Amino acid sequence: MGLLLILSTLAAVAAAGFHYAEEITLARDKLRQNPWGEVFFLSGLFFVLINGSILIWRIVLFRRYRPVEACADESLPRCTVIVPAYNEGRQVMGTLLSLARSDYPGEKLQLIAVDDGSVDDTWTWIMRAKRELKGRVQAIRLPKNQGKRHALYAGFKRSEGDVLVTVDSDSEVERDTLRKLVSPFVANEQVGAVAGNVRVLNGREGLIPRMLDVTFLYSFDFIRAGQSMVNTVMCTPGALSAYRRGIVEEVMEEWVRQTFFGRPANIGEDRAMTNLILRAGYHVHFQQDAYVYTQVPIRYKNLCKMFLRWARSNIRETFVMSRFAFRRFRKGPMLGARINLLAGWMSMCLGPVFWAVTFAHLLAAPSIYSFQILSGIVISTSLPAGLYCWRRGSLEGLWAYLYGIFWFLALSWITPYALLTPHKSGWLTRQLKQRNRPVRQRVAARAVDAIRPAPAATARFSPHAQPRL
């Protein structure tokens, strides 16, 4: 049904384009009468052709991708999971309980929670989880807030596992997530890091979480799946990632002391670690069936802060990757890594230019350009919408269309602004007002299930249990 609606939408756009073909042709001819307009038109055409070619290449890679099969207990390595927390409150307990409920062999699993100088009751909830889990959690409390990178570093220093897993304190995993996440290290000794599959935990809390759930699926199931096929996932997400211990020990001193413009790099620790692992010659893969569910912003202001932090990190680490990506940084093919890097540069630098020019034309002649812009949004968001409807069997994928409009009108300023302010490193997340943030009823239920396991507990995080339109 969802795919049929998407095809109908595209057909409607095509029919409207045919109906307004004369007006569109006149607008194009008028644009090309100006020398700068001609440059913009030809550049835009080149931009579309290049992106179209890259999209076809990514579709081919996506169709070939398969996750690594999960290992049996005896093959699994010892694993340390580190949960950094800052002003997270009660949710950190839900995170730790979900990890403790994993089907990973208990004797091979070490859980470490790091309170990064929180000023709320985060430490109280960590200690409560430690008591309820009968000492399975090792708790570290830093005397003052130093940033997520330093909290992870403290956990790394106390770790004992051969594989180090990082999980955000506002996230929860499925019962088999850790097993599936770690399995690629057993299957391939060249794998240095593995990215988990991030989904939205609070999907029923408003329009923004619903839209983000669709974009997350596209970003992971499509983009990272393709990157995995060329052994170069460009960012292992903070919500769920795994690293081979040996390589982390080699690079973590450089990682924790990273600077940008002479200042400590307090953002982008996940992308920075990924770059260091790639630079060392290791592969970085994506494990599609290793799910984690994470809290996302429900307000526009907080969403902008999150995206701005990600955009600045992307700019910084794209520069960093460019320093080694065009050298012989590993054995085997490297072309796929370089194509993805160049595509990132093009999107980061040329995207804002085309957005600014397009917006200017929209303001100058809204009746002419509004249809063309809307058509472009519909066409570009149909793939994420269709992928979600196909994967999830849900009409929720149609939120992609609303997100495309929302992004153009309310979020497209973020990348240009980040390009002008990449040196800023504000963490931009945990607000003190979150100290009494309520946790949904199912988190409390999970806490009870973790202590008194129920037969139905394993199905609670089914990736197909999503609200429908």
Side-chain angles (χ1 to χ4, degrees):
M1 182 62 179
L3 296 178
L4 181 61
L5 288 173
I6 291 169
L7 291 175
S8 300
T9 302
L10 291 173
V13 170
F18 180 78
H19 178 75
Y20 291 104
E22 184 176 350
E23 289 84 349
I24 293 172
T25 301
L26 289 173
R28 183 192 62 194
D29 292 342
K30 184 177 180 180
L31 175 67
R32 299 185 67 177
Q33 290 174 3
N34 184 294
W36 285 109
E38 178 75 1
V39 170
F40 174 71
F41 175 79
L42 295 177
S43 299
L45 182 61
F46 177 76
F47 189 66
V48 169
L49 291 175
I50 292 295
N51 275 284
S53 301
I54 293 174
L55 177 61
I56 294 172
W57 173 66
R58 285 175 170 168
I59 290 174
V60 172
L61 294 176
F62 161 75
R63 295 295 296 167
R64 293 173 53 198
Y65 171 82
R66 297 293 184 277
V68 174
E69 187 176 350
C71 292
D73 287 2
E74 57 271 17
S75 301
L76 292 171
R78 181 158 173 75
C79 173
T80 297
V81 183
I82 302 164
V83 180
Y86 176 64
N87 288 353
E88 190 57 64
R90 185 176 182 178
Q91 176 60 55
V92 68
M93 180 174 171
T95 302
L96 293 169
L97 294 176
S98 78
L99 290 165
R101 194 176 57 248
S102 298
D103 68 356
Y104 209 91
E107 68 277 8
K108 293 184 176 182
L109 182 61
Q110 178 190 24
L111 301 179
I112 299 177
V114 185
D115 181 359
D116 184 26
S118 298
V119 295
D120 68 347
D121 57 355
T122 295
W123 180 250
T124 301
W125 287 105
I126 290 176
M127 295 307 293
R128 178 172 174 179
K130 181 177 181 178
R131 289 193 302 271
E132 295 192 2
L133 294 173
K134 303 185 185 308
R136 291 185 61 191
V137 176
Q138 296 183 33
I140 301 174
R141 190 178 195 182
L142 301 183
K144 63 178 181 179
N145 176 240
Q146 300 178 61
K148 185 178 178 182
R149 192 177 305 226
H150 286 272
L152 287 171
Y153 179 77
F156 290 155
K157 297 290 283 186
R158 292 274 293 271
S159 66
E160 300 172 359
D162 299 311
V163 173
L164 308 180
V165 175
T166 64
V167 178
D168 279 349
S169 57
D170 58 359
S171 305
E172 300 180 23
V173 300
E174 289 188 342
R175 186 174 174 81
D176 58 359
T177 290
L178 293 181
R179 178 186 297 271
K180 291 178 176 178
L181 184 72
V182 168
S183 293
F185 295 101
V186 180
N188 186 349
E189 63 180 11
Q190 283 299 111
V191 172
V194 177
N197 197 345
V198 183
R199 305 307 307 276
V200 172
L201 180 61
N202 55 332
R204 291 185 172 90
E205 295 184 2
L207 289 178
I208 289 177
R210 286 174 180 251
M211 292 188 293
L212 289 181
D213 194 40
V214 179
T215 63
F216 275 24
L217 186 141
Y218 177 75
S219 175
F220 286 89
D221 285 46
F222 183 75
I223 298 296
R224 280 175 173 81
Q227 291 176 351
S228 189
M229 290 300 299
V230 295
N231 301 315
T232 314
V233 172
M234 297 177 69
C235 182
T236 52
L240 178 67
S241 295
Y243 307 100
R244 195 178 292 275
R245 180 186 185 86
I247 182 60
V248 171
E249 289 179 335
E250 291 178 18
V251 304
M252 70 179 182
E253 296 299 332
E254 177 184 357
W255 171 75
V256 79
R257 291 177 172 81
Q258 183 188 24
T259 60
F260 187 81
F261 275 64
R263 302 177 182 179
N266 294 331
I267 60 174
E269 71 293 327
D270 46 6
R271 180 80 188 272
M273 179 63 79
T274 307
N275 269 338
L276 290 171
I277 291 173
L278 288 171
R279 190 189 68 183
Y282 287 84
H283 298 172
V284 180
H285 284 184
F286 166 63
Q287 187 70 342
Q288 184 185 62
D289 53 4
Y291 287 98
V292 63
Y293 298 82
T294 192
Q295 295 271 1
V296 297
I298 60 175
R299 294 186 175 87
Y300 173 71
K301 179 180 179 181
N302 293 336
L303 179 68
C304 290
K305 289 180 178 181
M306 182 181 77
F307 278 173
L308 183 57
R309 186 180 77 247
W310 288 359
R312 286 170 174 160
S313 170
N314 181 52
I315 292 166
R316 296 181 185 192
E317 297 303 325
T318 298
F319 275 104
V320 171
M321 186 176 179
S322 299
R323 295 173 187 169
F324 66 83
F326 298 98
R327 303 199 306 263
R328 189 81 188 168
F329 65 94
R330 71 174 179 219
K331 297 178 182 179
M334 294 170 285
L335 179 60
R338 292 164 180 168
I339 291 175
N340 280 319
L341 177 62
L342 291 173
W345 270 112
M346 185 168 60
S347 176
M348 186 172 66
C349 297
L350 297 182
V353 175
F354 284 111
W355 167 79
V357 175
T358 301
F359 206 89
H361 280 88
L362 176 64
L363 294 177
S367 60
I368 297 176
Y369 289 100
S370 57
F371 170 74
Q372 297 183 53
I373 293 171
L374 184 60
S375 299
I377 290 173
V378 169
I379 293 170
S380 62
T381 54
S382 288
L383 179 57
L387 182 64
Y388 192 97
C389 291
W390 173 51
R391 285 283 198 195
R392 312 283 292 183
S394 167
L395 294 181
E396 291 283 311
L398 300 181
W399 287 112
Y401 292 121
L402 180 61
Y403 180 76
I405 298 171
F406 177 61
W407 179 88
F408 179 78
L409 296 176
L411 297 173
S412 51
W413 61 270
I414 288 178
T415 298
Y417 183 69
L419 284 167
L420 297 174
T421 59
H423 56 286
K424 293 189 176 182
S425 297
W427 183 230
L428 301 175
T429 50
R430 301 283 177 254
Q431 305 296 321
L432 186 57
K433 65 183 180 182
Q434 289 180 318
R435 64 185 305 168
N436 294 319
R437 176 169 55 85
V439 178
R440 291 172 309 287
Q441 291 295 323
R442 69 173 181 272
V443 173
R446 287 174 188 145
V448 174
D449 288 341
I451 304 167
R452 306 179 184 87
T458 57
R460 186 170 291 109
F461 277 115
S462 169
H464 300 291
Q466 288 290 321
R468 296 174 181 265
L469 286 176

